[in-house]
């Protein structure tokens, strides 16, 4: 798929996600409840998440529940060198990073998550995702073998995501309606 078509698909999916977000503001709580019904990770696992921006499914309820259950959570920090993950806790003030994201301060320890919760614009049944086009998650996954769980609305599923050999497929996708393997 030419870059111009992929750019157009991103714009269409941003608009679709905005409508899904407005229709179901409680989707983040639904995903938080479903997470523990379908996954049973050891409590010493480090879970890499994201701080939601715009109409991304709100991951904050899940992150705080994970912390309450004794898990360690980390959030991404993006620089010119790539994406890293820093430990996060709910009392920690976040700083504004690049790409309008919020991230832990530079003083927070760097960790490698065991499980990565990945935001997306769209996904398909084979686990391929459409992101924002920067390739940060794919680059990270080329260096670190982790379990990947896409987080989004069921309405973000499309027939086929165009992908290249260097693109990683997600292991799972968790939506407000359930798990897709």
């Amino acid at each position: 798929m030419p870059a111009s078509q992929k750019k157009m698909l991103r714009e269409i999916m941003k608009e679709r996600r905005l409508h899904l977000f407005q229709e179901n503001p409680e989707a983040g709580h639904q995903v938080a409840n479903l997470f523990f019904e379908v996954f049973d990770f050891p409590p010493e696992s480090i879970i890499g998440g994201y701080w939601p921006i715009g109409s991304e499914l709100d991951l904050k309820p899940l992150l705080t529940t994970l912390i309450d259950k004794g898990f360690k959570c980390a959030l991404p920090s993006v620089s010119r060198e790539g994406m890293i993950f820093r430990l996060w806790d709910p009392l920690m003030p976040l700083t504004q990073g690049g790409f309008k994201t919020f991230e832990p301060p530079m003083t927070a320890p760097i960790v490698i998550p065991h499980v990565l919760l990945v935001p997306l614009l769209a996904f398909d049944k084979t686990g391929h995702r459409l992101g924002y086009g920067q390739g940060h998650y794919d680059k990270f996954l080329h260096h670190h073998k982790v379990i990947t769980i896409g987080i989004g609305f069921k309405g973000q599923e499309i027939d086929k995501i165009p992908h290249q050999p260097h693109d990683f497929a997600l292991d799972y996708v968790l939506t407000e309606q359930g798990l897709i393997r």
Side-chain angles (χ1 to χ4, degrees), residues 4 36 63 88 95 160:
S4 61
F36 296 99
L63 293 173
W88 169 81
T95 60
K160 184 169 174 54

Side-chain angles (χ1 to χ4, degrees), residues 81-83 112 136-146 168:
E81 292 78 38
M83 184 169 64
I112 307 295
H136 294 300
Y137 282 93
D138 287 321
K139 290 173 191 166
F140 181 85
L141 293 170
H142 275 288
H143 297 287
H144 307 287
K145 176 69 177 136
V146 301
F168 277 85

Side-chain angles (χ1 to χ4, degrees), residues 39 49 64 95 107:
F39 295 111
T64 55
T95 60
T107 56

Side-chain angles (χ1 to χ4, degrees), residues 34-86:
L34 287 169
F35 184 88
F36 296 99
E37 290 178 17
V38 296
F39 295 111
D40 186 24
F41 297 113
E44 64 274 7
S45 300
I46 300 171
I47 311 292
Y50 61 88
W51 200 258
I53 57 173
S55 61
E56 289 176 342
L57 191 138
D58 188 359
L59 198 59
K60 293 179 286 193
L62 177 54
L63 293 173
T64 55
T65 303
L66 285 163
I67 295 282
D68 290 346
K69 291 184 177 277
F71 290 88
K72 290 183 180 175
C73 289
L75 297 176
S77 178
V78 180
S79 69
R80 286 187 181 96
E81 292 78 38
M83 184 169 64
I84 59 169
F85 283 82
R86 293 182 182 278

Side-chain angles (χ1 to χ4, degrees), residues 90-111:
L91 302 177
M92 180 181 288
L94 298 176
T95 60
Q96 180 127 21
F99 309 102
K100 300 179 185 174
T101 60
F102 290 94
E103 51 192 54
M106 300 281 286
T107 56
I110 296 171
V111 295

Side-chain angles (χ1 to χ4, degrees), residues 5-18:
Q5 286 181 314
K6 220 171 185 182
K7 182 178 180 183
M8 190 167 51
L9 180 58
R10 283 189 179 91
E11 292 306 315
I12 291 167
M13 294 311 298
K14 281 181 191 176
E15 189 67 28
R16 181 185 295 181
R17 187 179 67 187
L18 176 61

